[in-house]
Amino acid sequence: MKQSGFPYVVPMLLLSVVFFATPLAVLVGFSFITKGGVTLDHYARFFGDEFNFRVLINTARLGLETVIGTTLLGVPIALLYWHSGRTLRQVIIFLTLIPMLTSNVVRTFAWIVILGRQGPISEALMALGITGMPTSLMFTELGLVMAMCQIDLPLIILPLIAILTRTQYSLTEAAQVSGAGPWRILITLMLPLMLPGLLAGWILVFASTSSSFVTQAVIGGARNVYVPQLIYREVGTLFDWPLASAIAVVLLLSTGCLLVALTMISRHRRLNGHA
Protein backbone atom coordinates (compact mmCIF):
# COMPACT_ATOMS: atom_id res chain seq x y z
CA MET A 1 0.00 0.00 0.00
CA LYS A 2 1.39 3.33 -1.06
CA GLN A 3 2.01 5.64 1.91
CA SER A 4 0.91 9.26 1.73
CA GLY A 5 3.71 11.80 2.00
CA PHE A 6 1.46 14.44 3.54
CA PRO A 7 2.68 13.96 7.17
CA TYR A 8 6.21 14.80 6.05
CA VAL A 9 5.01 18.08 4.56
CA VAL A 10 3.16 19.21 7.70
CA PRO A 11 6.22 20.74 9.47
CA MET A 12 7.06 22.77 6.37
CA LEU A 13 3.43 23.92 6.06
CA LEU A 14 3.36 24.99 9.72
CA LEU A 15 6.60 26.94 9.36
CA SER A 16 5.28 28.60 6.19
CA VAL A 17 2.03 29.61 7.90
CA VAL A 18 3.73 30.91 11.07
CA PHE A 19 6.72 32.70 9.56
CA PHE A 20 5.46 33.70 6.09
CA ALA A 21 1.69 33.67 5.64
CA THR A 22 0.84 35.22 9.03
CA PRO A 23 3.33 38.16 8.84
CA LEU A 24 2.22 38.74 5.24
CA ALA A 25 -1.44 38.82 6.30
CA VAL A 26 -0.60 41.31 9.07
CA LEU A 27 1.29 43.47 6.55
CA VAL A 28 -1.64 43.48 4.13
CA GLY A 29 -4.05 44.21 6.99
CA PHE A 30 -1.97 47.20 8.13
CA SER A 31 -2.14 48.66 4.62
CA PHE A 32 -5.96 48.83 4.79
CA ILE A 33 -6.40 49.93 8.41
CA THR A 34 -7.11 53.43 9.62
CA LYS A 35 -8.68 54.88 12.76
CA GLY A 36 -12.06 54.97 11.05
CA GLY A 37 -11.94 51.36 9.82
CA VAL A 38 -10.96 49.86 6.49
CA THR A 39 -9.77 52.23 3.75
CA LEU A 40 -7.83 52.48 0.50
CA ASP A 41 -6.44 55.91 1.45
CA HIS A 42 -2.88 54.62 1.95
CA TYR A 43 -2.75 53.27 -1.60
CA ALA A 44 -4.31 56.49 -2.91
CA ARG A 45 -1.64 58.51 -1.06
CA PHE A 46 1.11 56.37 -2.56
CA PHE A 47 -0.07 56.53 -6.17
CA GLY A 48 -1.21 60.15 -5.77
CA ASP A 49 2.34 61.33 -5.06
CA GLU A 50 4.41 61.71 -8.23
CA PHE A 51 7.63 61.15 -6.24
CA ASN A 52 6.45 57.73 -5.01
CA PHE A 53 5.46 56.71 -8.53
CA ARG A 54 8.89 57.78 -9.80
CA VAL A 55 10.58 55.72 -7.06
CA LEU A 56 8.57 52.68 -8.16
CA ILE A 57 9.67 53.19 -11.77
CA ASN A 58 13.31 53.64 -10.67
CA THR A 59 13.15 50.36 -8.73
CA ALA A 60 11.73 48.47 -11.72
CA ARG A 61 14.38 50.03 -13.99
CA LEU A 62 17.17 49.02 -11.59
CA GLY A 63 15.83 45.45 -11.56
CA LEU A 64 15.67 45.30 -15.36
CA GLU A 65 19.18 46.77 -15.79
CA THR A 66 20.57 44.20 -13.37
CA VAL A 67 18.71 41.40 -15.18
CA ILE A 68 20.28 42.52 -18.49
CA GLY A 69 23.76 42.80 -16.93
CA THR A 70 23.64 39.41 -15.22
CA THR A 71 22.31 37.80 -18.42
CA LEU A 72 25.19 39.19 -20.50
CA LEU A 73 27.68 37.91 -17.92
CA GLY A 74 25.94 34.69 -16.91
CA VAL A 75 25.27 33.15 -20.34
CA PRO A 76 28.97 33.04 -21.42
CA ILE A 77 30.00 31.64 -18.02
CA ALA A 78 27.33 28.93 -18.19
CA LEU A 79 28.34 28.03 -21.76
CA LEU A 80 32.00 27.90 -20.67
CA TYR A 81 30.98 25.51 -17.88
CA TRP A 82 29.10 23.32 -20.40
CA HIS A 83 32.08 23.15 -22.77
CA SER A 84 34.69 22.59 -20.04
CA GLY A 85 36.21 19.53 -18.47
CA ARG A 86 35.73 18.39 -14.91
CA THR A 87 38.48 20.53 -13.34
CA LEU A 88 37.38 23.81 -14.90
CA ARG A 89 33.76 23.02 -14.04
CA GLN A 90 34.72 22.62 -10.39
CA VAL A 91 36.57 25.96 -10.50
CA ILE A 92 33.52 27.71 -12.04
CA ILE A 93 31.17 26.22 -9.43
CA PHE A 94 33.59 27.17 -6.64
CA LEU A 95 33.92 30.77 -7.87
CA THR A 96 30.13 30.99 -8.29
CA LEU A 97 29.28 29.70 -4.83
CA ILE A 98 32.01 31.42 -2.80
CA PRO A 99 30.44 34.92 -3.06
CA MET A 100 27.12 33.46 -1.88
CA LEU A 101 28.82 32.29 1.32
CA THR A 102 29.87 35.87 2.06
CA SER A 103 27.54 38.32 3.72
CA ASN A 104 25.74 40.73 1.39
CA VAL A 105 26.89 43.57 3.67
CA VAL A 106 30.55 42.56 3.29
CA ARG A 107 30.25 42.36 -0.51
CA THR A 108 28.52 45.74 -0.59
CA PHE A 109 31.25 47.44 1.43
CA ALA A 110 33.91 45.80 -0.77
CA TRP A 111 32.31 47.63 -3.70
CA ILE A 112 32.88 50.94 -1.90
CA VAL A 113 36.62 50.38 -2.37
CA ILE A 114 36.22 49.24 -5.98
CA LEU A 115 34.00 52.16 -7.03
CA GLY A 116 35.80 54.88 -5.03
CA ARG A 117 38.21 57.50 -6.34
CA GLN A 118 41.25 55.42 -5.37
CA GLY A 119 39.72 52.14 -6.56
CA PRO A 120 40.84 49.92 -9.46
CA ILE A 121 38.13 51.20 -11.82
CA SER A 122 39.22 54.82 -11.36
CA GLU A 123 42.89 53.83 -11.76
CA ALA A 124 42.10 51.86 -14.95
CA LEU A 125 40.15 54.77 -16.48
CA MET A 126 43.07 57.14 -15.84
CA ALA A 127 45.61 54.62 -17.15
CA LEU A 128 43.63 54.25 -20.39
CA GLY A 129 43.38 58.04 -20.75
CA ILE A 130 39.57 58.03 -20.57
CA THR A 131 39.58 60.37 -17.57
CA GLY A 132 42.23 62.85 -16.47
CA MET A 133 41.44 62.74 -12.76
CA PRO A 134 40.21 60.21 -10.18
CA THR A 135 36.58 59.30 -10.79
CA SER A 136 34.12 57.87 -8.33
CA LEU A 137 31.17 55.72 -9.33
CA MET A 138 29.78 55.79 -5.81
CA PHE A 139 26.24 57.18 -5.47
CA THR A 140 25.56 56.61 -9.18
CA GLU A 141 23.11 54.17 -10.74
CA LEU A 142 25.88 52.77 -12.96
CA GLY A 143 27.95 51.86 -9.89
CA LEU A 144 24.88 50.37 -8.21
CA VAL A 145 24.05 48.22 -11.26
CA MET A 146 27.66 46.98 -11.41
CA ALA A 147 27.55 45.99 -7.74
CA MET A 148 24.14 44.34 -8.06
CA CYS A 149 25.27 42.38 -11.14
CA GLN A 150 28.22 40.91 -9.20
CA ILE A 151 26.12 40.16 -6.13
CA ASP A 152 23.23 38.55 -8.02
CA LEU A 153 25.25 36.82 -10.78
CA PRO A 154 25.11 33.36 -9.08
CA LEU A 155 21.31 33.54 -9.13
CA ILE A 156 21.30 33.33 -12.93
CA ILE A 157 24.38 31.14 -13.45
CA LEU A 158 23.11 28.24 -11.32
CA PRO A 159 19.73 27.80 -13.14
CA LEU A 160 21.53 27.98 -16.50
CA ILE A 161 24.03 25.32 -15.42
CA ALA A 162 21.16 23.12 -14.22
CA ILE A 163 19.54 23.38 -17.66
CA LEU A 164 22.76 22.83 -19.63
CA THR A 165 23.84 19.76 -17.68
CA ARG A 166 20.70 18.03 -19.01
CA THR A 167 21.43 19.11 -22.59
CA GLN A 168 23.13 16.72 -25.00
CA TYR A 169 26.36 18.16 -26.42
CA SER A 170 25.68 16.22 -29.62
CA LEU A 171 23.01 18.80 -30.50
CA THR A 172 25.63 21.44 -31.26
CA GLU A 173 27.74 18.89 -33.14
CA ALA A 174 24.73 18.03 -35.30
CA ALA A 175 24.13 21.74 -35.95
CA GLN A 176 27.79 22.19 -36.95
CA VAL A 177 27.60 19.24 -39.32
CA SER A 178 24.49 20.84 -40.85
CA GLY A 179 26.51 23.98 -41.59
CA ALA A 180 25.37 26.29 -38.79
CA GLY A 181 27.93 28.83 -37.55
CA PRO A 182 28.66 29.64 -33.89
CA TRP A 183 26.32 32.65 -33.73
CA ARG A 184 23.47 30.79 -35.43
CA ILE A 185 23.91 27.86 -33.01
CA LEU A 186 23.86 30.29 -30.07
CA ILE A 187 20.76 32.22 -31.21
CA THR A 188 18.62 29.49 -32.76
CA LEU A 189 19.64 26.49 -30.62
CA MET A 190 21.33 27.32 -27.31
CA LEU A 191 19.33 30.37 -26.20
CA PRO A 192 15.94 28.64 -26.73
CA LEU A 193 17.26 25.62 -24.80
CA MET A 194 18.46 27.88 -21.98
CA LEU A 195 15.28 29.98 -21.86
CA PRO A 196 13.64 28.13 -18.90
CA GLY A 197 16.85 28.66 -16.89
CA LEU A 198 17.00 32.29 -17.99
CA LEU A 199 13.39 32.88 -16.90
CA ALA A 200 14.08 31.35 -13.47
CA GLY A 201 17.24 33.46 -13.13
CA TRP A 202 15.46 36.66 -14.21
CA ILE A 203 12.82 36.14 -11.52
CA LEU A 204 15.44 35.59 -8.81
CA VAL A 205 17.64 38.50 -9.91
CA PHE A 206 14.77 40.96 -10.27
CA ALA A 207 13.29 40.05 -6.87
CA SER A 208 16.70 40.22 -5.16
CA THR A 209 17.68 43.55 -6.74
CA SER A 210 14.32 45.21 -6.09
CA SER A 211 14.48 44.40 -2.37
CA SER A 212 18.22 44.84 -1.71
CA PHE A 213 18.01 47.65 0.82
CA VAL A 214 21.63 47.61 2.06
CA THR A 215 23.28 47.78 -1.37
CA GLN A 216 20.82 50.38 -2.66
CA ALA A 217 21.35 52.60 0.40
CA VAL A 218 25.16 52.28 0.57
CA ILE A 219 26.10 52.33 -3.14
CA GLY A 220 23.16 54.35 -4.47
CA GLY A 221 23.28 56.99 -1.75
CA ALA A 222 20.58 59.46 -0.81
CA ARG A 223 20.02 60.85 -4.31
CA ASN A 224 18.95 57.50 -5.78
CA VAL A 225 15.85 56.46 -3.85
CA TYR A 226 14.25 53.05 -4.37
CA VAL A 227 11.21 51.37 -2.84
CA PRO A 228 13.00 49.62 0.09
CA GLN A 229 14.50 52.97 1.18
CA LEU A 230 11.06 54.57 0.87
CA ILE A 231 9.61 51.89 3.16
CA TYR A 232 12.44 52.42 5.65
CA ARG A 233 11.81 56.17 5.66
CA GLU A 234 8.11 55.74 6.35
CA VAL A 235 8.75 53.24 9.15
CA GLY A 236 11.96 54.52 10.73
CA THR A 237 11.58 58.29 10.34
CA LEU A 238 7.90 59.12 9.86
CA PHE A 239 6.47 56.12 11.76
CA ASP A 240 3.73 55.83 9.14
CA TRP A 241 3.26 52.08 9.33
CA PRO A 242 0.05 51.89 7.24
CA LEU A 243 1.62 53.76 4.30
CA ALA A 244 4.82 51.70 4.62
CA SER A 245 2.70 48.54 4.55
CA ALA A 246 0.88 49.75 1.43
CA ILE A 247 4.23 50.47 -0.28
CA ALA A 248 5.51 47.01 0.69
CA VAL A 249 2.36 45.39 -0.73
CA VAL A 250 2.80 47.35 -3.98
CA LEU A 251 6.42 46.13 -4.25
CA LEU A 252 5.30 42.58 -3.48
CA LEU A 253 2.54 42.71 -6.11
CA SER A 254 4.91 44.18 -8.71
CA THR A 255 7.37 41.34 -8.22
CA GLY A 256 4.49 38.84 -8.08
CA CYS A 257 3.10 40.06 -11.42
CA LEU A 258 6.52 39.60 -13.02
CA LEU A 259 6.77 36.14 -11.46
CA VAL A 260 3.36 35.11 -12.84
CA ALA A 261 4.11 36.52 -16.30
CA LEU A 262 7.48 34.77 -16.58
CA THR A 263 6.03 31.52 -15.19
CA MET A 264 3.29 31.57 -17.83
CA ILE A 265 5.90 32.22 -20.52
CA SER A 266 8.08 29.35 -19.24
CA ARG A 267 5.10 26.96 -19.48
CA HIS A 268 4.47 27.81 -23.11
CA ARG A 269 4.40 24.67 -25.24
CA ARG A 270 7.17 25.87 -27.55
CA LEU A 271 9.50 26.37 -24.57
CA ASN A 272 8.90 22.85 -23.36
CA GLY A 273 9.77 21.23 -26.64
CA HIS A 274 6.20 20.57 -27.80
CA ALA A 275 6.31 22.83 -30.85
Side-chain angles (χ1 to χ4, degrees):
M1 181 177 176
K2 190 174 181 180
Q3 199 172 25
S4 172
F6 181 75
Y8 302 102
V9 184
V10 171
M12 187 176 69
L13 286 176
L14 289 176
L15 288 174
S16 299
V17 169
V18 173
F19 296 107
F20 178 72
T22 302
L24 186 62
V26 172
L27 178 73
V28 174
F30 258 113
S31 69
F32 289 105
I33 290 176
T34 186
K35 291 181 179 178
V38 179
T39 180
L40 291 174
D41 285 351
H42 310 305
Y43 291 95
R45 286 170 57 198
F46 175 77
F47 287 107
D49 191 330
E50 186 181 348
F51 173 77
N52 294 337
F53 193 72
R54 195 162 59 245
V55 169
L56 187 62
I57 297 297
N58 289 343
T59 306
R61 188 182 65 237
L62 175 65
L64 292 175
E65 290 172 346
T66 307
V67 164
I68 294 171
T70 51
T71 302
L72 294 176
L73 294 171
V75 168
I77 294 173
L79 289 174
L80 176 62
Y81 173 90
W82 191 50
H83 283 275
S84 302
R86 181 179 177 183
T87 303
L88 187 53
R89 285 188 174 191
Q90 290 176 340
V91 171
I92 292 173
I93 289 293
F94 177 78
L95 294 177
T96 302
L97 293 180
I98 278 294
M100 299 183 72
L101 302 178
T102 309
S103 167
N104 190 26
V105 176
V106 174
R107 284 186 286 171
T108 297
F109 277 91
W111 272 97
I112 295 177
V113 178
I114 297 172
L115 297 174
R117 291 181 180 278
Q118 307 302 323
I121 294 178
S122 176
E123 297 289 341
L125 292 176
M126 286 196 297
L128 294 173
I130 298 175
T131 59
M133 61 182 66
T135 303
S136 175
L137 292 177
M138 285 293 294
F139 312 133
T140 65
E141 188 161 303
L142 175 61
L144 178 58
V145 171
M146 291 172 64
M148 292 306 310
C149 284
Q150 187 273 327
I151 290 172
D152 290 337
L153 189 58
L155 300 179
I156 201 166
I157 290 178
L158 295 178
L160 287 177
I161 286 177
I163 291 291
L164 289 175
T165 50
R166 293 181 296 175
T167 303
Q168 296 291 331
Y169 191 74
S170 58
L171 289 174
T172 58
E173 294 175 340
Q176 287 176 337
V177 171
S178 302
W183 285 106
R184 188 172 181 182
I185 292 175
L186 174 66
I187 294 171
T188 62
L189 179 63
M190 296 310 301
L191 287 180
L193 286 174
M194 290 191 292
L195 197 52
L198 284 172
L199 292 171
W202 291 342
I203 293 170
L204 295 173
V205 170
F206 186 86
S208 173
T209 302
S210 301
S211 58
S212 182
F213 170 75
V214 173
T215 309
Q216 291 175 4
V218 174
I219 304 294
R223 287 184 299 177
N224 301 304
V225 181
Y226 303 96
V227 171
Q229 296 162 274
L230 196 61
I231 296 172
Y232 177 78
R233 188 193 70 177
E234 296 298 331
V235 173
T237 305
L238 303 177
F239 302 105
D240 194 342
W241 284 76
L243 181 58
S245 301
I247 299 172
V249 171
V250 170
L251 177 62
L252 193 63
L253 289 177
S254 303
T255 307
C257 289
L258 178 70
L259 174 64
V260 171
L262 292 180
T263 302
M264 292 176 67
I265 292 173
S266 66
R267 291 180 178 176
H268 195 278
R269 289 176 60 85
R270 292 180 65 87
L271 299 179
N272 287 286
H274 299 298

